Amino acid sequence: MTALSTSTVRIDQVPLHKPWNRSRVTLVLVAIGAAVGSVWGLREVDLSLFSIIDGWPETQNLLERMWAPTIAAEDRGFLTGLVFDTFFMAYAGTAIGVLLAIPLAFLAASNVVPFAPVRMLARAVIVFTRAVPTLVFALVFVRVYGIGVLPGILAIGIHSVGMIAKLLADAIEDIDPGPREGVIATGAGRMQEMVTGIWSQIIPSVISISLYRLEIDFRGAPILGFVGAGGIGLAIRGYQGNLRYPELLGVTFLIVVLVLLMEMLSAITRRAILGSELGSASIGRGSSSGQAVLGVDDPHSVAMMSPATTGASAPSGSSAPWTRDRIKLNVAGWGALGLLVGSFTIPDVSIREFFTSIGDMPNVFWRLVPKDMTWLTDRVVNDLLETVAIGFASTFLALVVAVPLSFFAAANTAPSRMVYRFTRLLALLIRAAPDLVIAVILVAAIGLGPAAGTIALAFGMIGFATKLLADNIEEVPDAPRDGVFATGATRVQEVGTGVTPQVLPSMLGNMLYLFDISLRSSTVLGIVGAGGIGFLLNNAAKTLNFEVMGGIILSIFVIVYSIELLSSWVRRQVI
Amino acid sequence: MMSTPATAVEVSNLVKTFDGGRVRALDDVSFSVPEGQLLVIIGLSGSGKSTLLRHLNGLHQPTSGDVRVLGVDVPASKGAELRGLRRDVGFVFQQFNIVGRLSCVENVLSGALGRLRGPRVGAWMYPKAMRREAIEQLDRVGLADRAWQRTDTLSGGQQQRVAIARTMMQRPRIVLADEPVASLDPEISGQVMDVLFRLCLEDNITVLCSLHQVDLALGWANRLIGLRDGKIVLDTLVDETTAHEKVMDVYLRLDPDGKKIEEYQPSRSARASAEEELRRARRQAGAFATGRDAVETIDVRG
Ligand SMILES: Nc1ncnc2c1ncn2[C@@H]1O[C@H](COP(=O)(O)OP(=O)(O)OP(=O)(O)O)[C@@H](O)[C@H]1O
Ligand SMILES: [Mg+2]
């Protein structure tokens, strides 16, 4: 006990308050910023409890007119066709995204390209395509290539490139740094060899990222029809225009079922391909629903497979034995190719048209570049602000519900197994309804404007937020909780002291990520009249005013990207 | 129990099986601990030490047998009653089980949760008097100068001292410690055990502690219990004359190969007199400083 009397301070010198440090200051600043932003946002979109209560009779009225949801008999063939279109559009889009992303990822990886300007250019492409929502690309491409599946494929493809390339570039940079010195010193022969070497190591990453992206695109595809880009969204637009509400609701349910089915399908595929030893260290904890991954923006949550596992099982030469994994890989590969062929034959996309359109892409982007600043009108500024307001307000509303709910949806904090199952299912179902579809319904109920968009976004986000945050809670180690528990604390106290502080950093990260997502989504709400910049964007598209579109897209990019930079800064401060 | 001194822990015929009876972790264990005793449980890995301790604060349900702690029938109690018992029974874990992201003070404060209602997330949610008390407890383990430091930035020994301060914050009557120094190096282990036993003596707290290190056990314990395959094979009071070799010998014989060991039957009269002695010893001021009075040693039969 003698060795312990080393404490040099007197007890009364120890402060009774926690001293301020960087991470605490940041946390408080973030909290204040979030509070101010939320209050401002809610006022800006003119949303209060009263307006919701006031609007309720009309909503109820509308719901009564919508009930019961139907699928019109004469539309069945048409709808079936659209369902197939949606599926193949998403599939082909993701496939193109993957194909374009692979070279881009190599160009963006510091251990492949020692040349900084090339890397930065590649990173810029990645950042831009990631920040602009699929629906915005679709809006542009529909104007250029006409209504149909082709612009949808292109939009999905171009937007997917960014995320896939980012994750893949990170995976490439994570692998064995050994070859790096070699590249700097030697010529092309060596370079080729290295790229081949890296390729064999990142195959599992390519597979897991592609599957993950496919899931996202399956979710996104049903709404592309809103702007004329093919798929089931066309039906929603049609019914909305003709005020055929029961049919509208019927298609909404159809979309929900479709999304759930696709999710199951990708979960099965994921398990089949990645469940083998090939993917033993694979991405995410695939829940029963197969939505495996946390923040898209955090490549480390999409844990890449270690090169060690893969080196052993990746097909490395023609003489490799036919192991189970290799067979699986081949089946998957041929299956993927078959589906791709299907994508171009079943929805009737001309291959020639497709390749011309790809070649035409630089021209399209050039037309979008604003040559002056006339596009930046007061109305644009105003609507951009409204977009941000919707982002704040909807994130706030979603979190108010999702944060408490997430504790019920986490296996380790839920009061009972039943509650846990129910909450997870609820989150899954809410998630399956695309927010834009909800926005369409709400616009019909409470009228045009940002209030409808905010509620729609918030509602759609509750499911996703609950799932993300619950996953965070489930990751918390048990030992510290046991420590608190053993002091005789109640269960609520145990969660408060033993879980909350541990989960705070990852939750905060995901909350920022959710804000990011809602901001992106709020840029397109205006397309269905639910507030924000989307309205002007849609108008510019209708009048073929490419430079205005370009200007607006650029400002969307600036806003989304600065929020992303801000949140990654916050994350670094707090973690 | 019928004896006059208050009984802190009374275990009788405790049996615990896992995996539907295939693993017999505790096999008819009976013993009782008078208040104020410093009891050390030794035994090889897998002998059932943790399982035994976990029955005492209701973390395990017995397969059969009785467990009474501070007069409470542990297996039968639940909810508020069980929480009340846990407040009186501190638990020190091998892996410390502190919340690393919180400061030392906040970890210590969590020991006072049982005295409060509702959840607490940070230090600011506790009354000032409690914060002062927590800092005092930290001072007792020699860490007042680290009060607001993040606990996971401390060394292992320091983290365990924070955990001990948290336990003391509970104002427990019994402390259960499950191999509290197993993940620390020998020198630090000694320090941490010193802190634990010293504080418990000062506050007159009964201790049941499982340990691997016989040396440490001999330094502080009034009594040793040896477990093997879930059975008590040794129950002896300890004094300065208890030779290390002798206990080591016993410890070695806990090994499954030591075929000679048979089931141990405690001698009631011997224990009663030993307890008498102990109480007297404790009444003498600073029992630990003056050294414990000689108590009888019970042999292992066989
Ligand atoms: N939850 C459990 N499920 C199944 N078996 C268990 C469980 N807990 C303990 N056991 C078994 O009970 C026996 C006693 O385990 P216990 O952890 O009590 O031993 P121990 O003496 O604490 O060992 P150590 O020194 O390694 O901590 C072992 O055979 C162990 O495998
Ligand atoms: Mg143990």
Side-chain angles (χ1 to χ4, degrees), chain A residues 238-295:
Chain A
Y239 290 140
Q240 184 198 13
N242 300 331
L243 307 179
R244 290 170 65 182
Y245 289 125
E247 284 88 348
L248 178 62
L249 201 59
V251 176
T252 304
F253 283 127
L254 182 65
I255 291 178
V256 169
V257 172
L258 212 62
V259 167
L260 289 176
L261 274 179
M262 284 173 172
E263 196 144 275
M264 270 163 58
L265 195 75
S266 67
I268 292 167
T269 317
R270 179 187 296 285
R271 212 159 299 154
I273 299 180
L274 298 176
S276 55
E277 70 188 86
L278 194 65
S280 53
S282 75
I283 82 178
R285 300 141 305 283
S287 61
S288 57
S289 56
Q291 322 131 8
V293 182
L294 298 165

Side-chain angles (χ1 to χ4, degrees), chain B residues 45-46 48-51 94 178-179 210:
Chain B
S45 196
K49 305 184 292 294
S50 302
T51 309
Q94 177 180 339
D178 190 9
E179 293 181 39
S210 70

Side-chain angles (χ1 to χ4, degrees), chain A residues 38 43 48 58 84 140 171 212 260 272 309 354 371 423 439 451 458 544 573:
Chain A
S38 305
R43 290 174 65 114
S48 64
E58 286 158 60
F84 276 102
V140 175
Y212 172 48
L260 289 176
T309 358
F354 172 74
K371 315 298 185 285
T423 322
L544 294 178
Q573 296 301 303

Side-chain angles (χ1 to χ4, degrees), chain A residues 25 83 90 101 219 331 449 463 561:
Chain A
V25 170
V83 166
R219 277 175 186 286
V331 170
Y561 191 53

Side-chain angles (χ1 to χ4, degrees), chain A residues 222-223 226 236 248 251-252 255 433-442 456:
Chain A
I223 59 166
F226 283 27
I236 295 249
L248 178 62
V251 176
T252 304
I255 291 178
D435 37 32
L436 222 53
V437 178
I438 305 171
V440 167
I441 295 171
L442 279 174

Side-chain angles (χ1 to χ4, degrees), chain A residues 91-372:
Chain A
Y91 184 82
T94 310
I96 287 158
V98 173
L99 291 180
L100 293 176
I102 289 169
L104 194 62
F106 274 95
L107 290 178
S110 59
N111 52 344
V112 178
V113 177
F115 206 50
V118 173
R119 256 183 5 238
M120 269 155 69
L121 196 70
R123 290 273 174 190
V125 173
I126 289 174
V127 163
F128 181 77
T129 51
R130 240 159 60 86
V132 178
T134 313
L135 202 62
V136 173
F137 280 124
L139 203 58
V140 175
F141 294 149
V142 166
R143 292 302 136 189
V144 181
Y145 307 113
I147 290 177
V149 174
L150 178 66
I153 296 177
L154 293 175
I156 292 174
I158 299 290
H159 176 72
S160 304
V161 162
M163 191 201 88
I164 301 172
K166 178 179 194 264
L167 295 178
L168 207 53
D170 291 340
I172 294 172
E173 285 181 350
D174 271 353
I175 66 171
D176 174 28
R180 190 180 302 182
E181 299 90 48
V183 188
I184 300 166
T186 58
R190 185 62 214 271
M191 178 93 174
Q192 254 175 342
E193 196 176 297
M194 194 195 67
V195 168
T196 326
I198 289 177
W199 174 241
S200 66
Q201 290 194 54
I202 59 161
I203 288 177
S205 298
V206 174
I207 297 174
S208 62
I209 295 168
S210 308
L211 277 175
Y212 172 48
R213 186 64 224 183
L214 190 61
E215 271 174 42
I216 298 176
D217 289 337
F218 277 155
R219 277 175 186 286
I223 59 166
L224 293 186
F226 283 27
V227 297
I232 194 76
L234 282 173
I236 295 249
R237 197 171 72 156
Y239 290 140
Q240 184 198 13
N242 300 331
L243 307 179
R244 290 170 65 182
Y245 289 125
E247 284 88 348
L248 178 62
L249 201 59
V251 176
T252 304
F253 283 127
L254 182 65
I255 291 178
V256 169
V257 172
L258 212 62
V259 167
L260 289 176
L261 274 179
M262 284 173 172
E263 196 144 275
M264 270 163 58
L265 195 75
S266 67
I268 292 167
T269 317
R270 179 187 296 285
R271 212 159 299 154
I273 299 180
L274 298 176
S276 55
E277 70 188 86
L278 194 65
S280 53
S282 75
I283 82 178
R285 300 141 305 283
S287 61
S288 57
S289 56
Q291 322 131 8
V293 182
L294 298 165
V296 186
D297 294 313
D298 180 5
H300 299 289
S301 62
V302 188
M304 295 310 149
M305 280 156 268
S306 69
T309 358
T310 50
S313 46
S316 46
S318 55
S319 60
W322 282 92
T323 60
R324 262 181 82 106
D325 281 343
R326 195 164 166 232
I327 294 170
K328 267 187 190 169
L329 213 63
N330 270 276
V331 170
W334 287 109
L337 202 66
L339 277 175
L340 192 57
V341 171
S343 305
F344 281 90
T345 47
I346 295 172
D348 194 24
V349 179
S350 134
I351 302 272
R352 200 173 56 87
E353 209 181 317
F354 172 74
F355 280 107
T356 358
S357 65
I358 291 260
D360 190 33
M361 207 60 84
N363 186 25
V364 173
F365 280 113
W366 176 246
R367 280 171 74 189
L368 284 171
V369 176
K371 315 298 185 285
D372 55 40

